[in-house]
Amino acid sequence: MTEAGQQPLPIPPPHPPEVDVSTRRRLSFLWLLPLVAALIAGWLGWRWLEERGPQIVITFQSGDGLEAGRTRIKHKNVELGVIESVRLSDDLSQVVATARMDRTATRHLKDGTRFWVVAPRLGLGGVSGLSTVVSGTYVEMEPGGGDDRREFDALDEPPVIRADVPGRSFNLKTEQLGSLAQGSPVYFRGVQVGEVMGYSLSPQDRMVSVSIFVRAPYEGLVHEGSRFWRSSGIQISAGADGFKFQTESLKTLALGGVVLETPPDPQAGGPAKDWASFTLYEDQATAAAARDRLRVRYRLEFAGSVQGLQAGAPVLMRGLTVGHVSAVRLEYDEARQELHIPVEIDIEPDLVARTYAVIDGKPMDEPAVRTLIAVQVEKGMRGRLASGNLLTGQKLVSFDYEPGHPPTAPGTERSELPTVASSDIDSITRSAGAVLDKVAALPLDGLVADLRGTLQSVTGVAGSPDLARSLAALAKALGSADVLMRDTGRQLPELVKSLRGVATAAQGTLNSANGLLGGGGGQADLSGVLRQLNDAARSFRVLADYLERHPEALLRGKTP
């Protein structure tokens, strides 16, 4: 109870209730954002490291076109890596490039993997790398096999054949490289079937080794009996069998080429193995002569000079080739104090077709060939020198049956064959010169008898069928040498002058002989013969005059 006039005391408020507050701190969602970002960054880094691939070292001979961070490594125009750094080697002789490859290229970095710089290249074989003019220089990678590898030596030049091209490689041996180069074509019957991959010189045998590649499906054309020879694009040869002109493609003219030839079965043998070695011959004739075929050698000796006869000249039997001349040399016989010029020839029976069946199914052997030749010699077969080409003066050996010659006893072991005098123009000229010499030197009585015998010999030679064949061969040679005769036309005046001089000398000699012998009444036949020789000299003069006015008659003949 309060006193009157006093304020009542305030009543204290009741005690507030206690609240249970937790002291643990809660994680805010804002802190999850950096954590998620860190996880994403780590995952991206791990993926980057996983896809980054290994680091390799490539050694180049030059740093042309290489730029750190910009030069790409590609395969089939797909990027597989990039050059990270470029530096010189310790001896400053090479350029060492460090490259980072993609993970996809890791399993292809093997011992057989090759690298080279792709840049614009201009060569005789063509133009390559033109795409790099816009995209820039890059390094091409060609996967290979073998063990894993991380250091490589780059190629100086792009390979001619890529590793993924099907085919087979072979090796050719030759003494001279000639015009062959990397990329030179390999032909089979005019179709390109491969290329030359490269070449090297062996210090041991000093032979040049040429590596060639024959593409599929043509690699089956190469057999054990195949032959290869060099083709320079244009081949011009003048031999006893006339002029030959051969040409290949324009690419062959620039780079040369190799020709492949495989004989028919069974001469071809089995298919050749990879990297099988063959001989590279100079030309087709040399390759054909090197074939393994039977050759029977004979020896001949000709009276007089054999000028114009060389090794390799054909041996003909009635105009068809049956062999070749193997050697022509000069021998001295000390016992007789004489000089001999033996001519060795090889008869090839494979060039002679037989119309009868072989009983045992085998080709002719050497005894059978010698028996065949001996029988033909007994029938009158003789050898003589003949003109193969009038323009070049080349000679050949020709066999034919000569009437009037005594038969020879057959002998299967005979290595020497009988010969007769040549019937070409040179022999006729020598016979005419001998006639004129004997006219001036011999006494009158001996002159008449010897002159008649000599003239009969000349008449027999002129009527010989070999002369007609020689003239036919002459016409053929002149027809094939039309272009060459245009150049020789400048020398025609000297030739005509020489013919005119010969005709004048012959005319004077015959006039002297006619005046000397014409007074005898018992020598009417001789006077007639001398008149014929006089007419012949006059014909030479007319021929010289006509050729001087119409030199084209040597090629086209006499026109109205």
Side-chain angles (χ1 to χ4, degrees):
M1 186 174 187
T2 62
E3 296 181 355
Q6 290 185 354
Q7 295 286 339
L9 293 176
I11 299 173
H15 184 73
E18 294 182 1
V19 179
D20 188 8
V21 179
S22 176
T23 58
R24 294 182 302 176
R25 294 182 179 181
R26 295 181 179 180
L27 182 62
S28 176
F29 288 101
L30 295 178
W31 290 100
L32 294 178
L33 295 179
L35 180 60
V36 172
L39 292 176
I40 294 175
W43 179 78
L44 292 176
W46 177 78
R47 288 294 303 271
W48 177 75
L49 290 175
E50 185 182 18
E51 295 179 357
R52 190 181 182 186
Q55 189 180 58
I56 64 172
V57 177
I58 308 175
T59 303
F60 297 87
Q61 295 297 324
S62 174
D64 293 339
L66 300 179
E67 296 184 30
R70 298 187 60 181
T71 304
R72 307 295 175 180
I73 299 178
K74 300 181 180 181
H75 175 65
K76 294 185 176 181
N77 209 26
V78 176
E79 184 175 338
L80 296 178
V82 62
I83 300 294
E84 292 184 335
S85 64
V86 179
R87 64 178 179 85
L88 289 173
S89 61
D90 296 337
D91 56 358
L92 306 181
S93 61
Q94 295 175 327
V95 176
V96 180
T98 303
R100 178 67 64 178
M101 304 298 295
D102 292 343
R103 182 178 59 87
T104 57
T106 303
R107 61 190 182 93
H108 299 293
L109 298 174
K110 305 292 184 178
D111 290 335
T113 303
R114 299 187 293 182
F115 296 87
W116 66 89
V117 177
V118 178
R121 300 177 187 273
L122 176 62
L124 296 176
V127 181
S128 62
L130 289 180
S131 61
T132 59
V133 176
V134 178
S135 62
T137 303
Y138 64 92
V139 177
E140 179 72 15
M141 167 185 166
E142 183 184 72
D147 299 332
D148 293 339
R149 188 175 181 181
R150 296 296 181 263
E151 294 183 359
F152 303 89
D153 293 329
L155 302 178
D156 297 336
E157 297 288 338
V160 179
I161 303 297
R162 303 290 294 266
D164 55 353
V165 177
R168 297 165 65 186
S169 301
F170 304 96
N171 190 32
L172 307 181
K173 295 287 187 177
T174 180
E175 294 182 355
Q176 295 290 336
L177 180 63
S179 59
L180 293 180
Q182 189 179 31
S184 297
V186 178
Y187 291 104
F188 180 81
R189 297 184 179 180
V191 178
Q192 183 175 349
V193 297
E195 294 85 18
V196 174
M197 295 190 297
Y199 54 86
S200 62
L201 179 63
S202 175
Q204 289 77 17
D205 54 5
R206 299 181 180 180
M207 297 289 289
V208 179
S209 178
V210 181
S211 301
I212 66 171
F213 182 82
V214 180
R215 302 174 182 268
Y218 306 115
E219 75 274 15
L221 298 174
V222 184
H223 288 249
E224 296 175 352
S226 298
R227 294 290 185 271
F228 295 86
W229 65 83
R230 184 184 292 108
S231 175
S232 59
I234 296 180
Q235 297 181 0
I236 301 177
S237 60
D241 50 357
F243 284 90
K244 292 183 179 180
F245 179 84
Q246 296 179 352
T247 182
E248 299 288 350
S249 63
L250 294 178
K251 185 177 182 180
T252 309
L253 294 178
L255 297 177
V258 176
V259 179
L260 162 66
E261 183 187 61
T262 300
D265 295 333
Q267 301 177 10
K273 300 180 180 179
D274 288 341
W275 292 107
S277 295
F278 296 89
T279 301
L280 180 61
Y281 298 97
E282 291 296 324
D283 48 35
Q284 183 178 7
T286 308
R291 288 180 179 175
D292 296 332
R293 60 172 61 173
L294 177 62
R295 294 178 177 86
V296 182
R297 179 156 298 185
Y298 287 93
R299 175 187 174 111
L300 296 85
E301 287 195 15
F302 298 97
S305 175
V306 295
Q307 182 178 2
L309 184 64
Q310 299 177 356
V315 176
L316 306 182
M317 176 63 181
R318 290 196 165 184
L320 297 179
T321 302
V322 295
H324 294 83
V325 176
S326 60
V328 180
R329 60 177 180 271
L330 183 65
E331 291 183 353
Y332 175 66
D333 188 353
E334 296 183 357
R336 299 183 179 181
Q337 301 293 314
E338 294 178 351
L339 290 174
H340 298 275
I341 306 179
V343 177
E344 294 183 355
I345 64 173
D346 288 334
I347 302 296
E348 301 177 13
D350 292 343
L351 300 177
V352 181
R354 289 175 289 171
T355 58
Y356 57 88
V358 182
I359 299 177
D360 54 2
K362 297 181 180 179
M364 296 182 66
D365 54 4
E366 182 172 349
V369 175
R370 292 194 178 276
T371 301
L372 184 150
I373 297 297
V375 172
Q376 305 309 312
V377 170
E378 182 184 7
K379 295 181 178 180
M381 187 183 72
R382 300 292 185 272
R384 67 168 73 242
L385 285 179
S387 295
N389 194 304
L390 181 64
L391 298 177
T392 61
Q394 297 292 324
K395 298 291 184 65
L396 53 80
V397 178
S398 177
F399 284 93
D400 207 339
Y401 298 96
E402 302 292 338
H405 290 278
T408 303
T412 58
E413 299 300 329
R414 181 185 299 275
S415 60
E416 294 187 4
L417 297 180
T419 61
V420 295
S422 177
S423 60
D424 56 4
I425 296 179
D426 293 339
S427 299
I428 296 176
T429 304
R430 288 193 297 268
S431 299
V435 171
L436 297 178
D437 293 339
K438 291 181 180 181
V439 167
L442 292 178
L444 183 59
D445 295 338
L447 172 65
V448 175
D450 197 7
L451 183 60
R452 285 180 177 176
T454 303
L455 290 177
Q456 290 177 358
S457 177
V458 173
T459 303
V461 170
S464 173
D466 288 337
L467 180 59
R469 287 192 296 268
S470 298
L471 294 177
L474 171 62
K476 181 179 179 180
L478 292 176
S480 63
D482 190 4
V483 177
L484 183 61
M485 286 300 296
R486 295 175 184 174
D487 297 334
T488 59
R490 296 191 299 267
Q491 303 177 0
L492 187 59
E494 299 180 1
L495 175 62
V496 172
K497 183 178 179 181
S498 177
L499 288 175
R500 193 187 300 275
V502 172
T504 303
Q507 180 70 41
T509 304
L510 293 175
N511 289 337
S512 300
N514 193 14
L516 179 64
L517 303 174
Q523 301 170 351
D525 293 339
L526 179 60
S527 298
V529 171
L530 292 177
R531 282 194 300 271
Q532 293 180 2
L533 291 177
N534 192 6
D535 294 340
R538 187 181 300 107
S539 298
F540 269 106
R541 189 185 304 276
V542 173
L543 176 61
D545 293 338
Y546 183 79
L547 290 179
E548 187 175 9
R549 295 192 305 269
H550 304 283
E552 70 278 3
L554 286 174
L555 298 176
R556 303 177 181 177
K558 184 175 181 182
T559 58

